[in-house]
Amino acid sequence: IQKDRITFVALVVIMMAGWSAYQNMPQNEDPGFIIRTAQVLTFFPGASPERVELLVTDKLEKAIQEIPELDFVNSVSRTGVSEVYVNILESETEMRPIWDRTRRKVERASRELPDGVVGPIVNDEFGDVFGTIVTLIGEGYSYAELKEVADQVRNELLRISDVAKVDIHGAQEERVFVEYNNARLAELGISAIQLKNILGARNILLPGGDINTGDERIVLEPSGNFESVEDLRRTIINTPGVSQLIYLEDVAHVYRGYIDPPRSKVRSSGAPALALGISLREGGNLIVLGQDVTQTISRLEARYPIGIEFDIIAFQPAVVEKKVNEFVSNLLQAIAIVIVVMLVSLGFRTGFVVSSLIPMTIMMSLWVMSIFEIGLDQMSLSALIISLGLLVDNAIVMSESILVRMGEGESGLDAAVASAQELRIPLLTASLTTAAAFLPIYLAESTVGEYTSPLFEVVTIALLCSWVLSLTMIPMLSARFMEGKSSAQVQSFQSGFYRGYRGFLQTALRHRLWSVVVTVAIFFFAMMGFGFVPSIFFPAKDQPTLTAEFELPIGAPIERTEAIARQLDAFVKQELTVQNGRAEGVTNWATFIGQGPPKFVLPFNSKATSPEYTMMLVNTSSYEAVHEVIPKLETFCLENFPDVKPDIRSLLNGPPVNSPIEIRISGEEEDGVFQIVDRVKDKLATLSGTKNISDNWGVRTKKLAVQINQA
């Protein structure tokens, strides 16, 4: 207080440190949590689900079950594909050694798998979030030409410093097809196997050695491999009994095409497209990333010819920027409200002193948060907003105590020092008690606890910063600006309000038993009132975005999935988009066929490649329009595609949840498990509010069994 110039310099340093931390702090929508699930993907082309389970899935599961940190393992065996999901106990926090051990177990088990198996592939990068999804549409362009443009765009985006990864979705793998006629081959006396061997023997790279001239060594590179489709067409075919040269094009139709059937496709607002998912590097600033991506896309749009169009389907930087702006707005509103209230109740000087605590505490909190590597996200911002109403209490108590002492005749310095000495422990206790209310969230050993832990961390930091400033800055400002305040200027405690309050306290103290009874009764009725409050731990995000997942029966070909997706696109375009005078509705959307979109928000789990699955990522004009679109889209699906299971919902907060209620049933006998499942599903169907009751086994599908007579 006596050397206030040094104190003011220290406060300015804290303010600058907080502002610098705010400018450089990582910004994201969600605080993040440890992903404790890995996928082991194995391909066994042509094998039925039973053979995949017996020969691949079961062997991998047995090896994975040896991991001591394992919580449970679940798998899906489909025609030609085995998906094994490894789920680790939530008490584990160091995942890298566990995933390395998982890879070693899987590698050991892979030696027992049958020939022809591709994999197994261990994917433990479920935590990568591609917060920005850009679709690339090219009217009149082939998939190969679109892919070439997408590769160029990806190279440009990877030059942005905050970009960690760019994935391309919906690209069609190119193939060269050789279609032959069996009758023509028989006429020439060669078989399909011989034709295959001829092509395989030609398309090889053989070392040609080198020539030493004495002065230099020259490498020989012989020709032989196919450089183009024309080279393949001009391949010479050796045919017995035919004297003339026969080329491959004489006996087969050779052309370039795409893999058939396709594994996945992407459509943007009803048009064929490719999708680029852009992820943020660790510690990066999502808002800065959004600005750089927007500038890059604008520059590329001007470079490419007419017909190449970009459409932003998911853009999390805008969501984060909105939340940060709302926080700044709340901060300014809080300062304004405190100033007005203090001016009315305590006068200009006290109002100025108390309100100064809020921006200083926020800046100091941001500085301390940067030291502990806590970024700005919806949890930390929510904690700061919660703290705005709590941290001002310390300043009010301190300034009021100093004001009362000064009114009793003490000097500003003595009143400030005495008040700080008297209140330092009570204010610390009050701050820690308030912070302890959030401690159970932090101590929860679960994914939810990790997700919500910034609430406790940031509230505690803000309250302790408020306590420090209340014992230093507030006494200094009070002594400087309130010095010489006479007792006549201090509000008298003999007004009508204070006399009434004093009488109420005296009555409560005289009837202590009744006071306790009334207090308990109020508490009891308050607890009863909780029954009328909707119970949901994580509310939905207030974003104008929804996800619509559609699952066809197992075994449905991707051609039927794509046909249904086209009908859904047409319905959305005709009935739900913002057009023809419709004020609210869908603005744009992307449809992912055969595979889910990249993980665009942390609570979303993307589905693996599956021909009977499609998903729409839909943006609407407002959050209210989401609740209008969902029932219409769901009704259209149920009325037109009764065998399709729709799952349409707005975006959720918190860790990913597939269904609000999930029941796991296991047993040794397959038929017995099915009987129990049917009884459970029938029981659930009788409950009000339930819908989309299904199981992850799926209905039984058809197959043709060919019984070969070996004799």
Side-chain angles (χ1 to χ4, degrees), residues 527-548:
M527 293 296 102
M528 294 287 292
F530 268 114
F532 300 98
V533 178
S535 299
I536 179 169
F537 197 83
F538 287 109
K541 295 179 183 290
D542 56 348
Q543 293 178 223
T545 303
L546 63 94
T547 59

Side-chain angles (χ1 to χ4, degrees), residues 102-242:
T102 302
R103 282 187 170 86
R104 290 195 296 271
K105 299 281 186 184
V106 169
E107 184 179 359
R108 187 193 67 192
S110 65
R111 301 166 189 165
E112 304 176 12
L113 302 183
D115 294 337
V117 166
V118 180
I121 304 165
V122 179
N123 177 21
D124 60 356
E125 296 183 347
F126 276 16
D128 291 345
V129 177
F130 298 84
T132 302
I133 299 178
V134 180
T135 56
L136 178 63
I137 306 170
E139 185 178 356
Y141 288 79
S142 66
Y143 274 111
E145 293 168 333
L146 268 183
K147 178 63 165 54
E148 185 177 349
V149 174
D151 287 335
Q152 296 172 4
V153 174
R154 177 169 60 181
N155 293 336
E156 293 288 336
L157 292 173
L158 286 173
R159 293 186 180 135
I160 300 175
S161 58
D162 280 334
V163 171
K165 187 188 300 184
V166 179
D167 282 357
I168 299 176
H169 291 254
Q172 302 303 301
E173 297 182 41
E174 287 192 273
R175 293 287 187 272
V176 174
F177 292 89
V178 179
E179 292 184 353
Y180 56 86
N181 186 293
N182 280 323
R184 177 61 173 155
L185 292 183
E187 179 184 340
L188 296 173
I190 58 177
S191 66
I193 298 298
Q194 289 175 316
L195 183 63
K196 171 180 176 293
N197 293 336
I198 291 172
L199 297 179
R202 164 79 186 273
N203 190 33
I204 55 176
L205 286 173
L206 293 175
D210 52 63
I211 297 176
N212 193 342
T213 64
D215 296 325
E216 59 182 343
R217 179 170 292 167
I218 302 173
V219 176
L220 292 179
E221 183 178 322
S223 62
N225 61 300
F226 299 127
E227 298 288 348
S228 65
V229 176
E230 187 60 31
D231 286 348
L232 184 60
R233 292 194 183 106
R234 303 297 290 178
T235 300
I236 297 176
I237 305 298
N238 297 322
T239 57
V242 179

Side-chain angles (χ1 to χ4, degrees), residues 357-476:
L357 181 72
I358 297 179
M360 279 304 306
T361 301
I362 294 298
M363 287 300 173
M364 188 174 181
S365 299
L366 292 172
W367 173 47
V368 177
M369 287 168 58
S370 67
I371 295 175
F372 288 97
E373 297 182 350
I374 301 175
L376 289 179
D377 49 66
Q378 63 177 351
M379 283 296 153
S380 60
L381 290 175
S382 299
L384 287 172
I385 294 172
I386 292 172
S387 302
L388 292 179
L390 302 174
L391 58 87
V392 75
D393 294 344
N394 291 334
I396 293 176
V397 173
M398 180 63 69
S399 61
E400 180 68 14
S401 175
I402 296 173
L403 193 64
V404 170
R405 287 179 176 273
M406 292 173 64
E408 294 174 350
E410 295 186 22
S411 65
L413 177 61
D414 294 338
V417 173
S419 296
Q421 290 178 341
E422 177 187 0
L423 296 175
R424 57 185 178 183
I425 300 302
L427 289 181
L428 176 62
T429 304
S431 299
L432 293 178
T433 302
T434 304
F438 298 87
L439 185 59
I441 296 176
Y442 179 80
L443 295 178
E445 293 186 355
S446 65
T447 306
V448 174
E450 294 173 7
Y451 186 85
T452 56
S453 61
L455 284 175
F456 168 75
E457 296 170 343
V458 176
V459 167
T460 302
I461 290 173
L463 291 178
L464 291 180
C465 291
S466 168
W467 176 73
V468 171
L469 293 173
S470 296
L471 295 179
T472 53
M473 184 185 73
I474 296 301
M476 182 199 67

Side-chain angles (χ1 to χ4, degrees), residues 101 211 340 350 414 512 568 586 606:
R101 198 177 307 122
I211 297 176
V340 171
T350 307
D414 294 338
R512 298 174 184 176
L568 291 168
V586 175
S606 183

Side-chain angles (χ1 to χ4, degrees), residues 264-321:
S264 64
K265 284 189 174 183
V266 175
R267 298 176 62 84
S268 179
S269 298
L274 300 183
L276 293 91
I278 306 167
S279 67
L280 175 71
R281 67 170 176 83
E282 187 175 357
N285 189 316
L286 192 62
I287 296 178
V288 175
L289 171 65
Q291 295 170 351
D292 293 340
V293 168
T294 303
Q295 293 173 2
T296 303
I297 294 300
S298 299
R299 176 167 53 83
L300 293 175
E301 280 182 324
R303 174 193 299 180
Y304 290 109
I306 296 175
I308 297 292
E309 299 179 8
F310 296 89
D311 195 6
I312 298 178
I313 301 298
F315 196 64
Q316 293 306 112
V319 177
V320 176
E321 187 174 15

Side-chain angles (χ1 to χ4, degrees), residues 41-78:
L41 192 63
T42 312
F43 298 96
F44 192 7
S48 65
E50 292 86 351
R51 296 190 66 191
V52 170
E53 180 184 15
L54 179 65
L55 301 177
V56 178
T57 304
D58 188 58
K59 294 180 180 180
L60 293 176
E61 284 183 340
K62 283 183 171 62
I64 292 170
Q65 285 170 350
E66 298 175 3
I67 301 173
E69 300 87 355
L70 183 70
D71 184 8
F72 67 94
V73 57
N74 62 300
S75 62
V76 178
S77 298
R78 295 184 284 110

